[in-house]
């Protein structure tokens, strides 16, 4: 570690040399030079900015008030490029401080028989000039005509469908797909509207999802079609698999009145995987092991391989214990 006296000595040495330099004749001459240099530079800059210059700027264009049943099939340009002339100080103000407001076009103000709207420079030039300084000269505007094409269509309600792939992580699964709203209005010309059966989301790709996913998703654009709303909230609940075992009895079906099925054992353990949220919901009553009389006659043996006719929704990886049971078809005496 440094000795405190050495640190103090070094500090005093540095401050002493700095003080000597600042109080020296050479230092005073240097600062006087810098002072007059900055003053001269300032006068030169003011003189330069007092001259006239030309510059180009961009002004946003916005189309507002488009009705829901109207599709803009050809959008107007998003920016106007203007060329102006003024003193450098004014142009510098445009560059550094002043932002231009968008040129707003109200849809209801412009109509066209052929649905092709053309707005000439003379109709929106005032909106540009109102944002410029009085001394500023507007030299040119590009484009000099704003135009767009629209179509008016009928509507119908269509369901939202997922486009893409979503994969759950190991031991997880997607228990549902929820859209809010689950249906949207589709506007299109009658001939096109008849072909629309659903509104699909932009392609979604998610892998190894292990928690409920919430995401705002835009609907897939389709030429000549307008969806309202244009985006929806997608919710993908994720659940974890767990294992459950229930005992399910074997039932004989289509047996003659004087015959009955005897199975050994009469019940089979059914083990399966189900989401934790549905663990209590799925019971033995949801499984049916129905053994057909005709099927047993065709076997030619006294062993029946257990199988389910249908599997409840949300259930997977089903297995049986035992997988085979012994059986016999017992003749019963008719009741008196």
């Amino acid at each position: 570690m440094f000795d405190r006296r050495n640190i103090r000595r070094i500090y005093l040495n540095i401050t002493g040399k700095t003080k000597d330099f600042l109080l020296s004749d050479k230092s005073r001459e240097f600062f006087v030079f810098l002072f007059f240099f900055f003053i001269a530079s300032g006068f030169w800059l003011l003189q330069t900015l007092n001259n006239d210059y030309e510059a180009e700027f961009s002004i946003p264009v916005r189309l507002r008030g488009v009705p829901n049943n109207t599709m803009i099939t050809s959008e107007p340009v998003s920016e106007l490029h203007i060329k102006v002339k003024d003193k450098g100080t004014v142009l510098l103000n445009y560059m550094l401080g002043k932002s231009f407001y968008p040129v707003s076009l109200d849809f209801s103000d412009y109509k066209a028989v052929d649905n092709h709207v053309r707005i000439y420079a003379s109709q929106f030039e005032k909106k540009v000039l109102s944002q410029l300084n009085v001394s500023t000269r507007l030299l040119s505007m590009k484009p000099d005509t704003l135009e767009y094409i629209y179509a008016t269509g009928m509507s119908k309600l269509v369901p939202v469908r997922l486009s893409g792939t979503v994969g759950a992580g190991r031991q997880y699964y997607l228990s549902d797909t929820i859209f809010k709203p689950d249906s949207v209005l589709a506007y299109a010309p009658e001939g096109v509207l008849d072909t629309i059966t659903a509104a699909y989301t932009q392609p979604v790709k998610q892998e190894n999802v292990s928690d409920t996913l919430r995401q705002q998703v835009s609907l897939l654009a389709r030429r000549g079609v307008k969806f309202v709303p244009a985006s929806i909230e997608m919710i993908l609940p994720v659940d974890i698999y767990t294992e459950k075992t229930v005992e399910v009895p074997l039932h004989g079906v289509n047996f003659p009145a004087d015959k009955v099925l005897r199975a050994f054992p009469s019940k089979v353990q059914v083990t399966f995987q189900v989401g934790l949220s549905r663990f209590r919901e799925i019971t033995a009553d949801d499984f049916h092991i129905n053994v057909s009389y005709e099927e047993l006659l065709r076997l030619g043996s006294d062993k029946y391989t257990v199988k389910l006719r249908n599997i409840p929704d949300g259930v997977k990886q089903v297995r049986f214990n035992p997988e085979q049971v012994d059986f016999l078809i017992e003749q019963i005496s008719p009741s008196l």
Side-chain angles (χ1 to χ4, degrees), residues 245-248 265 267-271 289 306 319-322:
T245 300
V246 294
E247 282 195 338
V248 181
K267 292 183 178 181
V268 173
Q269 287 187 339
V270 180
T271 302
I289 305 177
V306 178
R319 60 184 187 275
F320 307 103
N321 184 29

Side-chain angles (χ1 to χ4, degrees), residues 57-64 72 74-82 100-105 124 142-143 145-148:
F57 299 99
S58 296
I59 300 180
V61 176
R62 299 287 184 267
L63 179 61
R64 303 187 184 280
I72 305 299
S74 177
E75 295 276 354
V77 295
S78 60
E79 288 184 338
L80 276 175
H81 298 281
I82 63 171
F100 293 99
Y101 296 107
V103 172
S104 295
L105 308 176
F124 58 83
K142 294 181 181 179
T145 303
L146 298 177
E147 57 183 321
Y148 58 89

Side-chain angles (χ1 to χ4, degrees), residues 51-330:
N51 296 331
D52 285 346
Y53 296 94
E54 295 180 1
E56 291 188 359
F57 299 99
S58 296
I59 300 180
V61 176
R62 299 287 184 267
L63 179 61
R64 303 187 184 280
V66 180
N68 283 339
N69 67 335
T70 301
M71 291 77 64
I72 305 299
T73 58
S74 177
E75 295 276 354
V77 295
S78 60
E79 288 184 338
L80 276 175
H81 298 281
I82 63 171
K83 188 174 184 180
V84 297
K85 185 175 183 179
D86 208 332
K87 294 187 181 300
T89 51
V90 178
L91 298 181
L92 186 63
N93 180 51
Y94 291 145
M95 293 177 186
L96 300 180
K98 185 173 181 179
S99 58
F100 293 99
Y101 296 107
V103 172
S104 295
L105 308 176
D106 196 322
F107 183 86
S108 60
D109 292 341
Y110 306 98
K111 300 290 183 180
V113 176
D114 59 353
N115 292 358
H116 189 171
V117 175
R118 297 175 180 85
I119 308 169
Y120 300 102
S122 57
Q123 296 174 268
F124 58 83
E125 186 175 359
K126 286 183 179 180
K127 295 182 180 181
V128 175
L129 291 174
S130 64
Q131 302 190 57
L132 300 177
N133 217 330
V134 178
S135 60
T136 304
R137 288 175 55 198
L138 179 61
L139 301 179
S140 66
M141 282 192 299
K142 294 181 181 179
D144 59 1
T145 303
L146 298 177
E147 57 183 321
Y148 58 89
I149 303 172
Y150 66 92
T152 303
M154 302 173 66
S155 68
K156 73 175 180 181
L157 198 65
V158 295
V160 177
R161 296 285 183 263
L162 176 65
S163 174
T165 57
V166 180
R170 189 176 180 183
Q171 293 299 314
Y172 292 89
Y173 76 102
L174 299 176
S175 59
D176 201 355
T177 302
I178 303 170
F179 297 115
K180 293 185 177 181
D182 60 0
S183 300
V184 296
L185 277 172
Y187 292 89
E190 186 174 1
V192 177
L193 194 64
D194 293 339
T195 67
I196 302 171
T197 57
Y200 291 91
T201 65
Q202 291 284 352
V204 175
K205 186 175 182 180
Q206 296 283 346
E207 296 178 354
N208 297 320
V209 179
S210 59
D211 198 4
T212 296
L213 184 68
R214 291 177 176 267
Q215 189 174 336
Q216 195 71 22
V217 183
S218 298
L219 297 178
L220 195 64
R222 182 170 172 178
R223 184 174 177 83
V225 181
K226 182 178 182 179
F227 295 111
V228 179
S231 65
I232 50 89
E233 182 184 16
M234 178 181 69
I235 305 172
L236 301 175
V238 176
D239 202 358
I240 187 170
Y241 277 116
T242 187
E243 197 167 81
K244 185 174 183 177
T245 300
V246 294
E247 282 195 338
V248 181
L250 281 76
H251 293 287
V253 295
N254 297 330
F255 274 68
D258 60 342
K259 298 183 186 299
V260 68
L261 172 67
R262 301 295 183 192
F264 308 97
S266 62
K267 292 183 178 181
V268 173
Q269 287 187 339
V270 180
T271 302
F272 54 92
Q273 288 187 348
V274 64
L276 190 61
S277 62
R278 300 192 64 195
F279 185 84
R280 295 182 181 275
E281 182 182 338
I282 301 296
T283 65
D285 294 336
D286 296 303
F287 298 88
H288 303 284
I289 305 177
N290 294 327
V291 184
S292 168
Y293 177 72
E294 294 82 1
E295 183 181 2
L296 295 181
L297 292 180
R298 291 194 299 267
L299 284 178
S301 74
D302 58 357
K303 288 190 179 295
Y304 174 75
T305 302
V306 178
K307 50 183 170 289
L308 291 172
R309 300 301 177 187
N310 63 295
I311 298 176
D313 292 338
V315 170
K316 62 178 290 189
Q317 301 293 333
V318 180
R319 60 184 187 275
F320 307 103
N321 184 29
E323 294 182 355
Q324 287 187 329
V325 296
D326 296 320
F327 74 91
L328 60 84
I329 299 174
E330 183 178 346

